[in-house]
Amino acid sequence: MRSSNPAIKKVRNLNEAVGFGAANPATYGGVGLKVMYYLALTIVSAIVFIALPLGNATTGVLIGMLIVGMICGFLACTSPKATMICGSIYCVAEGAMIGLISALFDALVQGVIIMALLSTVLTLAVIALLYFTGVVRVGSKFRRFIMSALIALVLSQLVFMLLALFVPSVSTAFYGSFWLQLIITVVFIVIAALSLFTDFDDITMIVENGMDKSCEWMAAYGLVLTLIWLYLEFLKLAVLILGNRD
């Protein structure tokens, strides 16, 4: 069972070189507590920023949080020790963005927040059940597929942004097509959901290989990162479906 996470690879290689497990090894309970910590930060941040009377400053706050989230999100992946601090800041920034975006969408189409939350929780439960009962096993081919899909998604997003910037008709055509938006959003949801399998596999690998307890932060951060992504995609799907039901 091998992880593609660079920080986890570093710790695993160190453990193998020494030849012994960590003196204070990671546990499933420890990972679970850190997942709840990150989720609590995200949720509290979302609630606080929804309640703040930002007014015309909303756009500026969104952009600022986006920049902070991108920087801290990258730094959090550099090492398990950096994940605790940078991951926490990332969750606060993402929570602010999620809160503001969710409030905006729910004002336009009521009920989308509940639909997105329930869909995210249900997907998490199903993926966890399939993984921990052994119905779905994560191998090297599965990981390569997920990695390739993620790279393809990032590149396609960058290409779309560049095209939309220099060819406005591209953006108009995309946002003017309900079915095109629906198909792309569903594809993103499928990839995000499948990524949960690799997150659970990383957690299992960290615990079963007796890696250091600091790796719990990396494992928890990876899972929460995917859950945030999954929620945002379900939120977009809810807006598309409920907003076009008439």
Side-chain angles (χ1 to χ4, degrees):
M1 189 159 38
R2 294 278 165 169
S3 172
S4 57
N5 190 308
I8 294 175
K9 278 185 177 181
K10 290 179 183 177
V11 179
R12 186 194 64 226
N13 292 336
L14 178 60
N15 285 348
E16 290 176 349
V18 174
F20 298 96
N24 189 19
T27 63
Y28 289 111
V31 175
L33 288 174
K34 290 170 177 62
V35 168
M36 288 189 287
Y37 164 77
Y38 280 138
L39 288 177
L41 279 181
T42 305
I43 294 171
V44 171
S45 178
I47 294 173
V48 168
F49 276 86
I50 288 177
L52 288 176
L54 297 176
N56 295 330
T58 300
T59 302
V61 171
L62 279 173
I63 295 175
M65 290 300 171
L66 175 62
I67 295 173
V68 171
M70 290 177 63
I71 295 174
C72 291
F74 172 76
L75 293 176
C77 296
T78 57
S79 72
K81 291 183 179 180
T83 309
M84 179 178 68
I85 298 174
C86 295
S88 298
I89 298 174
Y90 172 85
C91 287
V92 172
E94 286 297 302
M97 289 182 58
I98 288 174
L100 294 174
I101 293 173
S102 297
L104 175 62
F105 283 172
D106 198 63
L108 297 173
V109 185
Q110 291 187 348
V112 294
I113 294 179
I114 296 299
M115 182 176 177
L117 281 174
L118 291 177
S119 299
T120 302
V121 172
L122 179 61
T123 301
L124 175 65
V126 171
I127 297 298
L129 179 64
L130 292 175
Y131 177 80
F132 288 107
T133 56
V135 175
V136 175
R137 297 184 182 278
V138 177
S140 58
K141 290 183 178 179
F142 185 91
R143 284 185 175 276
R144 284 196 295 270
F145 167 76
I146 294 298
M147 183 60 65
S148 299
L150 291 174
I151 293 174
L153 291 182
V154 171
L155 291 177
S156 64
Q157 288 288 87
L158 290 175
V159 171
F160 174 77
M161 289 174 61
L162 290 174
L163 286 175
L165 182 62
F166 296 103
V167 187
S169 59
V170 172
S171 179
T172 303
F174 174 76
Y175 289 109
S177 173
F178 166 77
W179 288 107
L180 181 58
Q181 292 185 72
L182 182 65
I183 292 172
I184 292 178
T185 301
V186 170
V187 169
F188 274 55
I189 288 174
V190 170
I191 299 301
L194 292 177
S195 296
L196 288 173
F197 282 117
T198 60
D199 291 329
F200 285 132
D201 200 52
D202 283 341
I203 293 172
T204 301
M205 184 269 295
I206 287 172
V207 174
E208 297 302 325
N209 287 355
M211 291 188 178
D212 190 79
K213 199 169 185 64
S214 63
C215 290
E216 292 175 352
W217 289 104
M218 179 64 74
Y221 172 73
L223 179 59
V224 172
L225 192 71
T226 305
L227 288 175
I228 290 174
W229 176 29
L230 189 62
Y231 168 79
L232 289 173
E233 295 303 328
F234 272 126
L235 187 65
K236 290 193 292 184
L237 182 64
V239 172
L240 284 172
I241 293 175
L242 298 181
N244 289 272
R245 56 186 172 183
D246 297 329

